[in-house]
Amino acid sequence: MNHRRSLVAVVLVLLLATAVVVTGCAPKTAEKKLYVGIVLPTKDEPRWIQDETRFNDALKDTPYKAEILFSQGDPAKEKANVESLISKGIKVLILCPHDASAAAAAADAAAAAGVKVVSYDRLILGTKNVDYYVTFDSIEVGQKQGQYLVDRAQGKGNPLYLYAGALSDNNSFLFFEGAWRVLQPKIADGTFVIANSDKAKALQNKLNLTRDEMSQIIGQITTNWDFNSAKNLAEANLAVAPASMKGNVFILAPNDGTARAIADTFAADPAIKSYVITGQDAEKASVQYIIDGKQSMTVWKDVRELVKDAINVALLYIDGKTPEYTKTYNNGVKEVPAKPTPVVVVDKDNVKDTLIKSGYYNESDFTWPK
Ligand code: BGC
């Protein structure tokens, strides 16, 4: 038996070697050159695993090879990742920064080596060395979250709990700005009462906040994009909330991971009768929460689209061309060209028509009510 197996193996190797000699070419992957380096913030959040999976799917159809590295929430590791990709000869860097300002040094290093820099999903701040920004419309994400709450609030005095992303992520500001645009008029007219931020309360009559004002509010309500921090903050908020801030409540949660942590905390408080809570990313675990009635909505950002845009931009740069743009984003130093992709609200009513029908997920990925 063993003898037969090794014979088969020898024959296979010989056949392969002949094929390479005869056709003059090695297996296809070996031909592909490493032209694109992709650096994502962390493996610890399902959102970025979604991006990795979709990149790997999409890259199969390109003539170039790409390498994906993760920074694990550490700007030093992020910079080392970028440097290692530069040394391997990449032509384009697709970087989603963990810390928007710290990542400027990595972008500068890439530019100094003649590498084009594409900021992916999150904007790199404080450097002229960002050639393009591939992104969803993050203001729209916040607006859709805020509008979802507004559309479900009746009467006056509804308790509103506000939560935000990390201060080091420019998107946290865009999400909050979008949500504030629709929530603020409804706070000012008494529909909502802010339950957990005196900084936001002090600014509740102001529609257009400065970055510094937003920083002050976000500083009080940040989850740091971390599930445990989100849970701890929600627990601390509920521990000091008076009875008037309990009952039927409304919660602005910035993304799915934090939404699940916050929702679980609110669900465990016997004085909370009902809650409406937002989310973002259409993570599988949150889609199940939505089906089960534990999370109200998510903002679906079709990562396939973002990945497609990023790869197209990279291919254009490799060909020496310049990608089109519809809008620019100021990163403190430069107006960075971008073509933001729209986003979609998903809740219990349309989950099948959106996520399943589009093939983003399979129906069998979830448990459905009988
Ligand atoms: C992304 C979100 C993500 C969050 C936390 C944001 O910059 O746009 O999709 O949930 O970071 O990782």
Side-chain angles (χ1 to χ4, degrees):
M1 192 64 192
N2 270 346
H3 183 66
R4 259 184 76 184
R5 264 201 199 148
S6 34
L7 208 79
V8 170
V10 169
V11 170
L12 274 176
V13 169
L14 281 176
L15 276 175
L16 226 130
T18 323
V20 171
V21 172
V22 170
T23 59
C25 55
K28 224 182 161 199
T29 43
E31 264 178 24
K32 291 190 173 190
K33 281 196 79 176
L34 180 68
Y35 270 25
V36 183
I38 301 164
V39 179
L40 297 174
T42 178
K43 269 190 180 223
D44 296 340
E45 292 172 37
R47 159 70 216 264
W48 306 113
I49 302 290
Q50 280 197 45
D51 295 67
E52 181 192 32
T53 310
R54 306 294 183 183
F55 262 119
N56 283 329
D57 287 350
L59 283 162
K60 284 188 203 125
D61 304 328
T62 69
Y64 304 110
K65 218 172 91 185
E67 186 169 334
I68 306 177
L69 299 174
F70 284 87
S71 311
Q72 294 313 105
D74 176 0
K77 178 146 195 215
E78 184 175 270
K79 178 110 188 296
N81 281 342
V82 170
E83 275 158 1
S84 114
L85 290 166
I86 295 172
S87 73
K88 289 182 184 172
I90 56 162
K91 305 265 179 264
V92 181
L93 170 69
I94 297 174
L95 172 61
C96 181
H98 165 68
D99 178 311
S101 305
D108 293 349
V115 172
K116 288 282 183 192
V117 178
V118 178
S119 206
Y120 180 80
D121 194 277
R122 299 175 174 174
L123 187 57
I124 302 165
L125 299 180
T127 172
K128 63 176 188 340
N129 292 318
V130 188
D131 295 288
Y132 199 86
Y133 181 28
V134 170
T135 185
F136 291 102
D137 189 334
S138 296
I139 296 263
E140 193 195 358
V141 171
Q143 274 174 332
K144 292 210 141 97
Q145 292 173 330
Q147 194 61 47
Y148 198 88
L149 299 179
V150 167
D151 290 346
R152 276 147 195 87
Q154 282 169 359
K156 300 278 175 196
N158 295 287
L160 175 66
Y161 290 79
L162 300 170
Y163 297 96
L167 275 167
S168 58
D169 179 1
N170 187 57
N171 283 347
S172 304
F173 289 81
L174 302 178
F175 301 147
F176 186 79
E177 186 182 333
W180 189 255
R181 266 189 209 170
V182 282
L183 289 172
Q184 185 278 332
K186 292 290 170 186
I187 299 166
D189 79 3
T191 305
F192 293 116
V193 180
I194 298 170
N196 66 331
S197 165
D198 50 17
K199 300 271 186 215
K201 265 195 138 155
L203 291 159
Q204 68 180 17
N205 290 318
K206 192 165 179 218
L207 181 60
N208 296 312
L209 301 177
T210 64
R211 184 143 180 131
D212 186 52
E213 287 166 340
M214 279 193 276
S215 283
Q216 288 178 31
I217 300 174
I218 296 173
Q220 268 191 335
I221 59 169
T222 182
T223 59
N224 220 10
W225 292 134
D226 173 61
F227 319 145
N228 281 323
S229 310
K231 177 175 181 276
N232 293 340
L233 181 60
E235 275 172 4
N237 292 157
L238 286 171
V240 296
S244 61
M245 288 293 108
K246 302 243 174 135
N248 302 311
V249 305
F250 293 78
I251 310 165
L252 177 75
N255 76 346
D256 283 350
T258 58
R260 294 193 301 278
I262 296 167
D264 289 347
T265 308
F266 275 73
D269 186 324
I272 299 295
K273 281 205 224 123
S274 74
Y275 60 83
V276 179
I277 188 166
T278 61
Q280 144 174 229
D281 291 336
E283 286 181 5
K284 274 190 186 165
S286 276
V287 175
Q288 190 63 58
Y289 260 49
I290 290 173
I291 294 167
D292 295 343
K294 297 199 284 187
Q295 182 177 324
S296 315
M297 62 89 85
T298 186
V299 179
W300 174 33
K301 309 199 297 191
D302 189 335
V303 172
R304 294 171 303 188
E305 294 296 317
L306 203 67
V307 160
K308 200 164 63 190
D309 284 354
I311 292 177
N312 284 342
V313 167
L315 294 180
L316 284 171
Y317 280 137
I318 291 170
D319 281 353
K321 296 186 182 133
T322 309
E324 284 173 10
Y325 65 97
T326 53
K327 188 179 165 162
T328 62
Y329 286 80
N330 192 304
N331 82 340
V333 171
K334 178 183 178 180
E335 288 291 333
V336 184
K339 203 171 77 184
T341 301
V343 296
V344 176
V345 169
V346 172
D347 69 4
K348 224 177 185 163
D349 295 337
N350 70 349
V351 63
K352 279 197 179 165
D353 281 342
T354 50
L355 296 172
I356 310 295
K357 229 182 210 166
S358 68
Y360 199 70
Y361 291 136
N362 297 319
E363 194 161 346
S364 58
D365 292 338
F366 305 103
T367 310
W368 301 89
K370 296 260 145 55

